[in-house]
Amino acid sequence: MIHPSVWRFVMTLPNLSLGLVIGLLVVSAPLAAQTRTLATQPLFQPLLLAADDYAEGWEHFIRFDDGSLLVSHFMISSMGPGNHRGIMVATFTTPDGHTYVIKNGRKRKQWEGVSGPNRIGIAKHYVEGSGHKYRIHLKNNTAEIDINFNAIGTPWQGNRVSLSEPDGEIYQDLMFYAPYLTATGRYRPGKDSGGGGNESWRLLTGGQGFALRYVTSTGIYKLATDRLRLTTLGSESHRLTADLIKTTDGQWRPRMALWVNGRVRHQFGAVNIEPVWPNDGQSHPKDIPQSFTLSATAGDYQLTGTLHLNPLLHRFDVLANMGILDRLFIGAFSAPVQSRYRANYQLRLSHNGGSQTLDGRALVEYVQINPR
């Protein structure tokens, strides 16, 4: 393992590279369990915990009707020199397959002055809003992206995922602040992507997706090997929202809720997930399941069915996007491979001998934490 002092030296470099961003994502240390719930805090006000190397953040997943996909991640971490460094990293994939990787980092004193209870800002990037209306604005020499989105459904915090370690509990708390969202927006390439100073805006319509907030006490690779996130799409009255983590002890930990007309109807306390691999077997550690079979219970309700991962919208292999120097540092650690899909699902909700069919489409991210 790379000594923490090495990472602190790396973070003193003036230009934040993608590898260093992911270094923040995967390297952390345990901290004392925080007892406050995310649901009772101002949405964009960081907790700014005092423990070394904790991380917290806000993530957004939005697919537009032309096939464009935006995934943005605002994060605060105490990794590196000083405390509470701000990081923003986003990928924006267009229908022709081009991906813009947008990233910047700032020390606490440089981001804190442009942030507040209703806004988190890092460099020229920010997400702001309250109630149900929000805005994401991303801008650097790679691209400029401006998105307005409406949250549908009340915010919902799932169960804490935790493991007991000799040094104490390691955990992650997570809240969907937009279990489902609709969005419109626009984008234009920056000068590093072939755009000019007066580049025309390109419109984005029909966006659907979800947004969440998390606090984690440790590098995710210490806590989990896989994770599956999803929200169902379309205009159905019944929606499924999930962030499922397979912890390092091999167990899937449930954070999954069924929504009816914008309100949580069932929270599932036990989940079993089985991947279905191509060609009846996993031939390579980085292979992706073609589907999952799912069984979950909420009291005397049972949800069963299949989630088919097709089509693939974007796959982001962190190490493949690093320079040689960053690989020397990050290569000693696992780095996530993130696969995003517009999936099909066929589910059945059963109760007291009766059942209801729930079929439709979903936006899914499947992450392999340590596929190498």
Side-chain angles (χ1 to χ4, degrees):
M1 178 176 292
I2 297 175
H3 193 274
S5 63
V6 175
W7 292 107
R8 287 177 169 83
F9 167 75
V10 170
M11 291 307 297
T12 63
L13 299 179
N15 295 320
L16 181 71
S17 66
L18 182 60
L20 303 183
V21 171
I22 301 304
L24 289 176
L25 293 175
V26 301
V27 184
S28 311
L31 61 117
Q34 63 99 1
T35 57
R36 295 174 294 178
T37 64
L38 298 179
T40 61
Q41 305 302 310
L43 177 58
F44 295 114
Q45 186 71 59
L47 297 181
L48 298 177
L49 303 182
D52 291 339
D53 302 336
Y54 91 103
E56 59 180 308
W58 298 258
E59 297 187 59
H60 312 88
F61 298 75
I62 308 174
R63 184 184 185 275
F64 297 93
D65 56 11
D66 69 348
S68 298
L69 178 70
L70 174 67
V71 181
S72 71
H73 185 184
F74 290 75
M75 182 175 68
I76 308 299
S77 172
S78 290
M79 197 63 204
N83 292 321
H84 306 135
R85 185 174 178 84
I87 307 295
M88 200 298 297
V89 58
T91 59
F92 178 65
T93 305
T94 58
D96 61 5
H98 181 76
T99 297
Y100 299 89
V101 180
I102 307 167
K103 58 187 186 292
N104 287 103
R106 291 293 186 269
K107 297 178 181 179
R108 177 174 175 175
K109 66 180 180 180
Q110 295 174 316
W111 65 260
E112 199 169 30
V114 296
S115 300
N118 297 321
R119 172 187 167 112
I120 184 76
I122 297 169
K124 295 182 179 179
H125 319 296
Y126 60 85
V127 55
E128 64 181 6
S130 62
H132 297 283
K133 295 185 180 298
Y134 300 93
R135 182 186 183 192
I136 300 170
H137 188 79
L138 311 176
K139 182 180 181 180
N140 64 13
N141 289 338
T142 299
E144 183 174 5
I145 303 174
D146 194 41
I147 305 296
N148 292 294
F149 70 89
N150 294 321
I152 298 175
T154 55
W156 173 70
Q157 181 169 337
N159 296 327
R160 169 173 287 187
V161 173
S162 64
L163 291 174
S164 296
E165 295 291 331
D167 294 333
E169 180 191 32
I170 60 175
Y171 71 90
Q172 185 185 78
D173 288 332
L174 182 142
M175 178 184 73
F176 284 89
Y177 80 86
Y180 172 72
L181 63 83
T182 58
T184 59
R186 57 184 185 171
Y187 78 97
R188 56 185 176 185
K191 66 179 183 179
D192 290 351
S193 303
N198 297 315
E199 187 77 13
S200 298
W201 287 99
R202 306 172 189 184
L203 296 181
L204 298 165
T205 59
Q208 300 181 76
F210 58 94
L212 56 87
R213 180 185 180 183
Y214 72 88
V215 174
T216 184
S217 70
T218 187
I220 193 66
Y221 76 99
K222 294 182 180 179
L223 184 64
T225 61
D226 302 80
R227 75 183 308 155
L228 185 69
R229 289 172 168 172
L230 68 89
T231 191
T232 53
L233 302 175
S235 58
E236 294 85 356
S237 61
H238 289 67
R239 297 190 183 280
L240 188 67
T241 297
D243 182 286
L244 307 174
I245 287 183
K246 185 178 182 180
T247 48
T248 54
D249 59 3
Q251 301 297 312
W252 282 97
R253 307 300 177 98
R255 289 189 291 209
M256 186 166 72
L258 183 66
W259 303 71
V260 178
N261 297 322
R263 295 188 177 274
V264 173
R265 177 66 61 85
H266 303 294
Q267 300 184 53
F268 295 92
V271 174
N272 181 59
I273 297 178
E274 295 292 339
V276 178
W277 299 99
N279 303 318
D280 299 322
Q282 185 177 6
S283 59
H284 189 278
K286 289 168 65 175
D287 278 355
I288 305 171
Q290 62 185 13
S291 61
F292 289 94
T293 59
L294 180 148
S295 177
T297 57
D300 53 0
Y301 284 83
Q302 184 174 29
L303 186 70
T304 57
T306 304
L307 181 70
H308 298 277
L309 304 183
N310 187 51
L312 176 68
L313 302 177
H314 182 233
R315 191 178 192 195
F316 191 53
D317 186 333
V318 173
L319 288 182
N321 287 271
M322 293 181 189
I324 295 176
L325 180 61
D326 293 335
R327 289 170 184 262
L328 294 176
F329 286 101
I330 299 298
F333 292 90
S334 61
V337 176
Q338 302 161 321
S339 301
R340 291 114 183 201
Y341 297 87
R342 189 178 59 165
N344 295 312
Y345 63 90
Q346 295 83 40
L347 301 173
R348 183 173 295 276
L349 182 67
S350 303
H351 175 64
N352 289 338
S355 65
Q356 180 179 4
T357 299
L358 305 174
D359 295 344
R361 311 207 77 173
L363 180 63
V364 175
E365 182 185 61
Y366 173 58
V367 182
Q368 297 160 294
I369 307 297
N370 186 14
R372 304 171 203 287

